Amino acid sequence: MELTDKLEILADAAKYDASCASSGAPKRGSAGLDGFGATTGMGICHSYTPDGRCVSLLKILLTNYCAYDCQYCVNRRSSNVPRARFSVREVVKLTTDFYFRNYIDGLFLSSGIIRSADYTMEQLVQVARTLREVHQFRGYIHLKTIPDADPALIAAAGRYADRLSVNIELPTQAGIERLAPEKNLHTIKLAMGAIRRKLDEKAQEPGAPAFAPAGQSTQMIVGADASDDRQVLATAETLYGSYKLKRVYYSAFSPIPHSPDSVPLQAPPLLREHRLYQADFLLRAYGFQVHELLPAAGNLALDIDPKLAWALAHREHFPLDLNRAGAAMIARVPGIGVRNAKRLVELRRLRRIRYADVSRLRCSMKKAAPFIVTADYSPPQGASSSELLRRALAPAPQRGPQQQAAQQLAPQQLDLWPAPQTS
């Protein structure tokens, strides 16, 4: 098979893996040194999808042959998709060639399981080792690790990769047992724990060899089983606390041709995935907990964002006096972010906050106005119930089918060779 044919198959097969953002990579470059490539402290990516996913990495599978038969996966053993496999040399060549042509800034490499977990992991490590040691590549590398592989191989991967990830796939043990019986949640968590221990060792001994400086991440598939958003976010909250993950990525299940009866025939709303990313950000950056966003079992609201939903459900905290409240509580006001909350607290040291001050920070005043009090403004007493506010603040309904309405929120992997334009 020609290399371009392999690339077409294995780049397309990799698009279902969401966890390819490069944020957190250390500053590293080749200026004045041997080799080529660079990263920056804020991430190397030039283009992002609406939920923050990077699209400037060469994102491919080593192979889409797989010994596992995960029911939700297009590359499962029983799938009849076209198959291909790269050699280590071919992946290295593609990465270096694409970099020198300014197509990419780094590599995201995953793989189906071939022969054994150890053999597959050895191949992934060999790609990273060759790029780093033979070609002196200093750009970003993200390796998807195989949980069942020997810990020594995972440790070796961390020496060459900027980020490692171990996909947890589904939020519950029951879901994994039913849809991915060859995988084991306990083994996945052991691999995550091993990576965390290595990261902790590096943090305690700065002089130790580098190990995955951009940390580790994981991915959960949403809508392939009956897990609701509360279960998904509760699993994410546990992973953040137990394994110090940088990110949990969410990927809406996508039905594939000839899907088995064990998975849904219809994809979940793409807006559901978007709301999970918003809620995840509230957990990581705003200090929210899952039980605050979802007190009971169920899914996040689709018509409004999770932060607004929380504020409408807790009107006892509002309107909030911006001249008295702490930064953490100000950041919970719809339309005001963490950075602007800190700016408002700093401004208070100089003078009392006025409505125009909030507006000048480019906060979303339509959302914020019903929930704040300033030196010269307070919302009318009892003017709007939570239900009326919800209707007023919810985005206008989109025209057309739901798929068209959510299309702008859907993450897309760019084609390697865009189709020619016809006049």
Side-chain angles (χ1 to χ4, degrees), residues 65-76:
Y65 289 99
C66 192
Y68 293 170
D69 201 34
C70 304
Q71 301 298 288
Y72 48 79
C73 182
V74 67
N75 300 312
R76 66 186 184 277

Side-chain angles (χ1 to χ4, degrees), residues 15-65:
K15 69 184 179 183
Y16 298 98
D17 204 317
S19 52
C20 64
S22 61
S23 57
K27 290 185 178 181
R28 182 175 58 234
S30 54
L33 301 170
D34 292 333
F36 66 99
T39 63
T40 63
M42 62 182 177
I44 62 168
C45 305
H46 303 285
S47 182
Y48 295 85
T49 54
D51 57 9
R53 300 186 195 186
C54 148
V55 292
S56 64
L57 302 178
L58 174 59
K59 190 166 79 164
I60 55 175
L61 299 183
L62 183 67
T63 179
N64 65 340
Y65 289 99

Side-chain angles (χ1 to χ4, degrees), residues 99-145:
Y99 182 87
F100 285 127
R101 293 174 185 173
N102 203 30
Y103 292 166
I104 62 165
D105 295 285
L107 171 68
F108 175 93
L109 183 62
S110 184
S111 182
I113 309 300
I114 47 175
R115 296 194 189 178
S116 68
D118 283 351
Y119 175 80
T120 306
M121 196 69 224
E122 285 176 354
Q123 297 286 293
L124 297 175
V125 171
Q126 184 61 29
V127 170
R129 180 187 292 116
T130 303
L131 283 169
R132 294 290 195 221
E133 295 184 348
V134 177
H135 296 274
Q136 300 296 308
F137 179 63
R138 302 182 187 279
Y140 179 84
I141 297 178
H142 181 154
L143 291 183
K144 185 59 61 69
T145 57

Side-chain angles (χ1 to χ4, degrees), residues 212-228:
Q216 66 169 319
S217 60
T218 192
Q219 172 179 297
M220 276 190 282
I221 297 170
V222 179
D225 64 356
S227 299
D228 60 22

Side-chain angles (χ1 to χ4, degrees), residues 121 145-159 164-166 185-203 211-212 215-217 239 242-245:
M121 196 69 224
T145 57
I146 313 299
D148 292 321
D150 190 306
L153 291 170
I154 297 178
R159 290 198 293 272
L164 300 177
S165 56
V166 184
L185 183 60
H186 178 67
T187 303
I188 294 171
K189 290 184 175 181
L190 283 178
M192 288 181 176
I195 294 173
R196 176 185 171 166
R197 285 191 294 275
K198 287 289 185 181
L199 291 170
D200 288 343
E201 290 173 6
K202 173 58 180 174
F211 183 88
Q216 66 169 319
S217 60
L239 294 175
S242 300
Y243 305 105
K244 293 185 178 179
L245 266 66

Side-chain angles (χ1 to χ4, degrees), residues 247-270:
R247 288 290 303 274
V248 175
Y249 291 86
Y250 307 93
S251 178
F253 170 70
S254 178
I256 48 182
H258 310 294
S259 293
D261 295 336
S262 55
V263 294
L265 298 179
Q266 185 174 0
L270 286 173

Side-chain angles (χ1 to χ4, degrees), residues 270-271 397-410:
L270 286 173
L271 194 54
Q398 300 283 341
R399 295 181 179 180
Q402 182 181 15
Q403 290 78 7
Q404 180 180 351
Q407 184 63 36
Q408 293 182 347
L409 299 175

